Amino acid sequence: MDVQMAVFHCADGFLKQLMVTKLSQCQYALPLLVPDPFTQQIEFGSVSSSKSQLINSLINDKHNTFFHRHCPGSSRTRVLMDGVVEIAWFCPSGTDDDNFNYRVAFCNLHGDAGEHEKQLDIMTKMASINVVVLPQLSRHDKRMTKIQNFFKDPKPLICLLPDDGLALTEMGNRKYKIGLKGRGDADVSEDLRQAITDCLPSASTFRLEDVSKHFDISVDEEDDDDCKKGKEAAQQMMRLLEGNDLTKIKESFLPHQGKLWHQWCEKNKELNRPQGDNPEIEISKKKVEMMKIREQQHKAPIREFINLFIKQMNMHVKNKSMFFLKWLRILLDEHTSADLSKLYHKYDKTWSEISKLSKSSDNSPELLPKQTELMELSKKLQDATLGLEHIMREIGQIYESCSSVKKNKKDLQIPFSSLPSLAAEMMISGFPLELMDGDAAHVPVIWISAVLDQLIKKLGDQRVFVLSVLGIQSSGKSTMLNAMFGLQFAVSAGRCTRGAFMQLVRVSDEMKTQINTDYILVVDTEGLRAPELAGSSTRHHDNELATFVIGLGNMTLINICGENPSEMQDILQIVVQAFMRMKEVRLTPSCVFVHQNVSDVTAREKKMEGRRRLQETLDKMTKLAAEGEVCEAEHFTDVIAFDVQKDVVYFAQFWEGTPPMAPPNPSYCDNIQDLKKTILSHVSTSNGMMLTDIKSHITNLWEALLTERFVFSFKNALEIAAYRKLEIEYVKWTWSLRKAMLEIENKLQNQIENGAINVVEETYLHRVLNVKYTEVKKSMSEFFEKDTNASILIQWKTSFELKVSHIKENIIRETQRKLNVVLQQRDLKKKIDAQKTENENALLEKAKTLALTLRDKAKDDKILHDEFNSFWETWLNEIMKKTPQVNDIDIVSDLKDLLRDINESSPVLDQWTESTQCNVFELSSYSDYVQVKKNKITQQITNIFKGSKTVYSKEDDNHIRNLLADVAYGGYKIILSHNIAKLGYNKSYIQQLIEFIKAKLIEHEQRQQKYVFKKHFFSDLGLSICKRVQNTFTEHHKIFKEANDPVCYFTRKREEYYGIFQKYCQGATSATIIGQIICNKLKEPIQQSVYKKTAQDLADEMKTNCESLNGNRSNLEKHILKRLAEKEDFEAYITYIHNPKEHFKSFIKDEVYQYINTKFNISVLPKMKDDLRQKEKRIIEAVQRASEEVDENSGDADLWLEIFIQNLSDVLIFSEKDLSGVSRDDVDVKLLEEIIINDLPTIISNMISEFSTESFLQKLEYKDRPDEILNEHFCTCCWVQCPFCKAICTNTADDHDPQPHSVPFHRPEGLNGWHYKGTQYLCADFCTTLVASTKRFYPTPESEETIPYNDYKTAGGVYAEWSITPDLTELSYWKWFVCRFQKELENHHNKTFQDQGEIPDEWRNHSKQDAIESLDKYY
């Protein structure tokens, strides 16, 4: 007891309250008066008899309500307990066994009363009856005065005399004495009970709250200012409820959660199960009705009751808010308990009467009125229940209504967006939050998602293990959870949990070392077969609840009251069916069955028999459930991993005896600990879920339950979510491989250009990339094993491992191909480089010869300058005579020449000019370019549509538009493959381009078999493509010309050669000349390497930091759609819809250019400077290493150059041929080292000053640009479009067989030109709505038979390759788009949105902001 008091003294108000509550629940005495431990006197004297033991015999002789010296673990000495007054109550049960017929409070002072006068004075004045244990006192003992005062007091007095052996004796005036000496405890106890019983009828009444009013004592709740203010605030709220009918309070004070909320829930369920031939119109009407309800909710007033609550919770004073909530919960319970008790009594009575009437053989006329009465009582019970959960439910509905109409309520004193934060704080503080509204049987998804968002914001995205609890009503679920985790779920028959509630339990740092989770989220439910739901509860509701909580939990406790499986067959069937659904959707929760109120939990044989019967019942229920779910399962273990020996726990009865005075059963506490260990063992082997996953999981679960096809809908939602997560990881894995290979490729390309290697072996590329590939494989393995959706992801493990392996092989093959091209280009370029080197050497020799004649004039800059100018002009003239110059190019002219050779008889080319050109990429229709083949079908259609030139359709336009995009992209690739910037232009490149275009057109004609292209289409397409790429050709040729045309090259190098000429004139040493030449030669390789490395680093940085590029392809598409909406450019939309790949590449290019322009100084330039410094460091290291080697080996300048170049071979393109003609005689390598080290910083500084946004992109080869690196990464994926609406398959892998094409969100079919056959009416329905309808479609314009949308795959071809899930999650984005660009779409397709294709009215309510926000919500 001293330990208890030590904890009590150290505790804050909340812990003290918790301690007192738990002591009371366990039928232990509570501290009433506690002396200050630092001022009290400690006495060691005592009487031989134990007062506490004597009182225990009066309250419950089998339980030690008051701790005493004879209890196990006690000692005779008291330290902190001396002078403490404890209190305990006896409450009669109404049976003959009661010790008293009245409620009696026993106060017990520990220690010698004579030493604790203040406590004694308080007790004697407040007590109804005084009981005193008197030792033998002498007449002169000072304590005799106090005894005399007892006798003078008119209150009843009972004296217990340890030295007397008399039985109960009345001394008159309600004064009694009882001897203790030589008497048995039972006799003494009976005498004392009798004396108290005689005194009770005439005794005064004791009120605990009056104690502090009459005495100078400190009361904890009054001393704590926060506690006091919290109580006052709670009382202020409660005063508003006074005088109101309890059954009408919620209707009056909480209007947002009543009729309107219930109507909205019903409409929402109807919305998810549309019927009829016009689903979009029906859905639109439902949404309009739901919005009207939300508007009515929004107009409903916020009562002062709720405003006071919000005000208190928004004060941001944690302790005060906590005290306020505690007091409010207590006062609400007090306010409702009496009325609820009466209602429950009436309910039980009526239920019993109905049961008797139902058993009678005749159809009693009294039965129906009684059933009606029961229904009314059930509703009254529902209306009269009022707690914190209803207040939070009201706040949740206020938030949802404001969120729906997107504005604050007038009478809401704070922004509605801050309401979820209040609920999140309550959860963190240990209060449960309602997850499912038990009255409406609905999950307020908007509110719950917002609260979880705030929870994530406050705690971070923590790992959570979800523990769900399911069982019949009043089976002890909440009591068990409260005992096990110290939770605050409402308990007792009068306060049964309604709906589902979740509460966070923080895992201690010590426990985190044993289990891989930060929190346990406990979900408690209202209970199956709840009697107070008799009027509204159905089996469907129970199935829904079971499926929801089992689907949400990583583990589910199935709580069963009793041992007989036959009494719980209904419950088990519901549970088994829910687990079977989990198996079908690839969720693998675990479960434990808890048998409550088992009479003998120690009987091993009985438990074995119970387990056997449970197993049999579960197997039986599995067979029944399998029939309903159309699933093959014979045994429960076929459905879920279940061990009947380990996963079944038996609980003793909670009370040891008959309440209200029965204490908890010690065995129950042992059972709680055993169950806790079982749960923690499951937690330790589970990866749990992240809070963000729980948020989406709740949404997906509930939305799937709202549909009629839960398994199909939820499985699809789960798989989409899991697959998206997998794709994000896949992007990371493949990017890390690409990034690693880019670095390898850079080094090898430098070595090839330097002549260090002459062959690139595939085995070598495998070996160097395998280092990164091993890391990726490890990351993949951990992801598939440890992710929260591991059981779902496992189906794709093998295929994605193969995909990553294939990507690795493709990267290696592509890299080898590129490097082989570099090898070929190096060989082709040898002649050009040799000529350039010969010219440079000749120039240096002549400059040196001239300089020797001018050494005496070395200090006259004007003479040197004039002489060099004259020499330079002569030199350039010589070069022009003997070396052919690089001419400008005209690829359009070359194309015309080639086309004339092919089409000699065609007059089109001769007539084609700039003014008459036809850019095929800008046409809206290609009907003039095709000739439809004549066959039976087209002939019949032509006969029907008289006057029509062709049966050519808009769909054909789209196919040709896709063909053009493909041809343009392929043509561009051909151009880039020739590396014109290095090798120059050749007319054969245009020949190759023409052959490619021709092959593509023939391939298209053969594939579709409907039409052929007219001859001039080939010419116009070729000319259009050449016009498109002309700038690229010219730009690359310009780079080649500057580098290889001798006049251009030497003109650019003039100042460098003048510098060398000056050095010759000044008599500089060979080391000085070579040093300067080396520094000059290093400039371009350094620049080229820096630009290339920076581009790769920039691509990696943008892949991480740029919002549009830091995820998978779906994330990129989201930002593309945002940009399109912001610009509202219809033509850009058409490009995106019909040529998505081209639009994606254009968007990535724009993002890169914008990033470079806006962040050049803070991101690009620092990278370039840093890499430049790294290159400078490497060059200096190479210089020093070369000098060291020459010293060690007594080498010369040739050895120095060889080692220097060798050390830079994988860093820069710089080889010995660059210095082949430079004399190295008498070169002092030490001086050479000094010159390079001294001159290099100046060169580096000059380079930095030349860096700019323009130069960055100009200096890069096309393939090395960051946008091309990112294009290769993002655009190597699936580009197949939905045959109905043109939505792009979002699969990140190009070849994702056997995974069908899919997209999270489809579009209205009218965007693609789909219309009702024989009309001009575009279709306004979404694909996902249509596949859930009874509508039919024609697979092609020529089709004569229709196919049901709900069986669309039977149309074969492209339709069979798609997975389109019936879904009502439609993006506001496309609704806004159709309304915003209705006229443009109608003009584009030459059709209208009318009649059958009428745009639903609800669509016009979506603003551009709604459209953009919907992308963030769903992508």
Side-chain angles (χ1 to χ4, degrees), residues 22 287 341 362 374 402 422 437 609 631 671 676 753 796 873 1027 1055-1056 1068 1089 1131 1151 1163 1272 1341 1353:
K22 296 301 180 186
K287 287 187 175 180
S341 181
D362 57 330
L374 190 71
C402 292
L422 304 182
D437 182 337
E609 175 62 16
C631 175
N671 300 148
K676 195 171 184 178
E753 296 279 10
W796 301 305
E873 291 298 324
K1027 191 68 179 175
E1055 290 305 315
E1056 290 180 13
S1089 178
E1131 290 305 319
E1151 287 288 273
S1163 181
E1272 187 173 0
K1353 288 195 175 188

Side-chain angles (χ1 to χ4, degrees), residues 15 98 169 289 306 313 391 415 441 553 557 571 592 657 684 1039 1211 1356:
L15 182 55
D98 288 336
T169 305
E289 291 170 2
I306 291 295
M313 293 304 298
I391 295 173
L557 296 182
I571 305 305
V592 171
S684 64
I1039 295 170
V1211 181

Side-chain angles (χ1 to χ4, degrees), residues 582-602:
M582 295 310 109
K583 181 187 179 184
E584 291 180 69
V585 299
R586 292 193 174 92
L587 286 182
T588 56
S590 55
C591 76
V592 171
F593 286 87
V594 179
H595 283 272
Q596 296 262 14
N597 298 335
V598 177
S599 57
D600 186 4
V601 295
T602 60

Side-chain angles (χ1 to χ4, degrees), residues 635-654:
H635 306 285
F636 186 58
T637 49
D638 296 335
V639 177
I640 187 173
F642 175 72
D643 186 335
V644 74
Q645 299 299 325
K646 296 179 181 178
D647 297 329
V648 179
V649 180
Y650 289 92
F651 264 51
Q653 293 184 1
F654 181 75

Side-chain angles (χ1 to χ4, degrees), residues 270 348 521:
E270 292 170 11
D348 291 340
L521 184 70

Side-chain angles (χ1 to χ4, degrees), residues 664-682:
N665 190 337
S667 297
Y668 184 89
C669 302
D670 295 336
N671 300 148
I672 285 285
Q673 287 303 313
D674 292 341
L675 177 59
K676 195 171 184 178
K677 288 177 184 176
T678 302
I679 292 170
L680 292 178
S681 70
H682 283 275

Side-chain angles (χ1 to χ4, degrees), residues 53 106 116 247 313 417 443 498 582 606 643 704 737 803 904 927 1055 1085 1179 1324 1332 1366:
Q53 189 174 10
F106 291 90
H116 305 287
T247 60
M313 293 304 298
S417 57
V443 175
R498 284 187 67 82
M582 295 310 109
K606 190 172 182 179
D643 186 335
L737 290 174
K803 283 176 187 177
E904 292 181 3
S927 57
E1055 290 305 315
I1179 292 169

